[in-house]
Amino acid sequence: MSEHSLLQRWRPGLIVLALLIAVFLFLPHVYGNESLLFTLMTFIVLAQGLNLLYGFTGYLPFGYVGFFGCGAYATSLLVLHSGLPVLLCVAGGGLAAVVMGLILGPLLRLSGAYFSIASLAASQILYFVVSNTNLADITGGPYGLKIEQVYAPTASYHTMLAVLVLATALAAYFRVSAFGMGLRAMRQDPVSASMAGIDIVRARLITWLISAGVAGLAGGAYAWNLSVFYPEAVFTLQISVFAIVFSLFGGVGTVIGPIIGAGVLYSLYSAIGISEPQYFQLIYGGLIVLLVLFMPGGVLSLLTRRGVRVF
């Protein structure tokens, strides 16, 4: 492949990455609520990480929050007991999520609703383990963990931005690479993909582990930013629900879909969901119904139906 052709394929991804970096470096200077911006980045990362798995393999993990919580706890325990620099502890959180993904790898033998429910059960098991009072000396139990000695909101903000760039770069790679095309072929027709020489088991496992690692890194950066948290804060099922809805709303299997979905819906949530939760739930429910009935491919499908190529 020529250098010009390679640049053409990667140009949209590079533009998206540059815009993300510029926007989230600039916004704190004009918008005072850096905590909200940090949370928005967190949900974009989670939506993008879930998109890597569901958008390219068709596996929808209802328990995706389990990897996020695993990364948060592993990072915090490393901070408390290892003496390593915080950034290495965050990387350790991502590695812990990958290891957990390996342990849960047999779930990939399931499919459809069975896989979704099994992943949800696995995340709940993790929650009950870390919140167990008998393990309070290790995990903090229901009392949570405190790592306020490393509290650094600006550094953790930039770390989450780096994780966001990584997650988006991975989505762009999946979008333009032969590996990603193989995943899409595998999702549409596993039998034909296998006959074409694609190692389906290996490809699914790699994607599963990458998706887990992204959530683990996000959890580690999130724990660093919070510094004091309880198990419910990083294992709540609302995190999985938001990640799923955000990615589906924008459009899975794309790069900008999860970004648009998280940006629009989390902004809506921050505007009315906190002060007027009853109205937010009504609007949110209505949006989901409309999405399922008229836009199963997300809002970006409105463009693809008109022949616009979406990245």
Side-chain angles (χ1 to χ4, degrees):
M1 183 180 296
S2 67
E3 183 177 341
H4 177 72
S5 177
L6 187 63
L7 180 61
Q8 285 290 103
R9 292 175 63 185
W10 275 98
R11 181 176 295 170
L14 294 175
I15 293 174
V16 172
L17 291 175
L19 287 174
L20 280 176
I21 294 171
V23 166
F24 282 104
L25 285 180
F26 173 73
L27 280 178
H29 299 289
V30 296
Y31 183 70
N33 194 343
E34 188 173 286
S35 176
L36 187 146
L37 295 175
F38 180 89
T39 307
L40 173 58
M41 282 197 296
T42 302
F43 279 115
I44 295 177
V45 171
L46 290 173
Q48 201 69 273
L50 187 137
N51 175 46
L52 295 175
L53 184 65
Y54 179 60
F56 291 89
T57 70
Y59 279 77
L60 182 61
F62 286 170
Y64 193 55
V65 65
F67 295 128
F68 181 78
C70 181
Y73 266 83
T75 296
S76 301
L77 291 174
L78 285 172
V79 168
L80 291 173
H81 303 296
S82 72
L84 293 172
V86 183
L87 288 176
L88 286 181
C89 294
V90 172
L95 180 60
V98 171
V99 172
M100 185 57 62
L102 276 173
I103 295 172
L104 298 177
L107 293 182
L108 294 173
R109 296 177 182 176
L110 304 173
S111 61
Y114 298 103
F115 169 80
S116 299
I117 294 172
S119 69
L120 176 60
S123 71
Q124 288 301 285
I125 291 172
L126 286 174
Y127 165 72
F128 287 123
V129 168
V130 300
S131 61
N132 191 326
T133 53
N134 295 323
L135 297 176
D137 292 338
I138 302 174
T139 65
Y143 314 109
L145 292 175
K146 298 179 180 180
I147 53 172
E148 68 271 14
Q149 67 270 27
V150 296
Y151 179 66
T154 301
S156 58
Y157 180 93
H158 290 149
T159 300
M160 185 61 80
L161 177 56
V163 177
L164 172 58
V165 170
L166 173 63
T168 306
L170 286 169
Y173 173 75
F174 277 28
R175 184 74 175 171
V176 303
S177 67
F179 178 74
M181 287 187 284
L183 290 176
R184 290 196 293 274
M186 185 178 69
R187 177 181 181 179
Q188 294 175 2
D189 190 341
V191 176
S192 298
S194 178
M195 293 179 63
I198 298 174
D199 190 335
I200 293 179
V201 175
R202 178 174 174 270
R204 283 175 177 166
L205 181 60
I206 290 174
T207 308
W208 168 251
L209 296 180
I210 291 174
S211 178
V214 167
L217 289 172
Y222 188 78
W224 183 16
N225 186 265
L226 285 184
S227 294
V228 178
F229 62 92
Y230 298 97
E232 293 84 357
V234 294
F235 280 102
T236 174
L237 293 180
Q238 186 182 47
I239 292 176
S240 281
V241 172
F242 274 16
I244 292 170
V245 173
F246 291 168
S247 57
L248 289 177
F249 181 81
V252 294
T254 67
V255 177
I256 63 174
I259 299 172
I260 293 174
V264 171
L265 293 185
Y266 187 74
S267 297
L268 179 64
Y269 171 74
S270 63
I272 63 174
I274 299 174
S275 59
E276 303 289 346
Q278 67 277 20
Y279 296 119
F280 172 75
Q281 291 171 4
L282 177 63
I283 294 173
Y284 222 48
L287 283 174
I288 293 173
V289 171
L290 291 174
L291 181 68
V292 171
L293 291 177
F294 303 108
M295 294 186 296
V299 295
L300 291 183
S301 64
L302 296 176
L303 297 177
T304 56
R305 291 173 187 172
R306 289 163 173 77
V308 178
R309 186 177 180 183
V310 175
F311 183 69

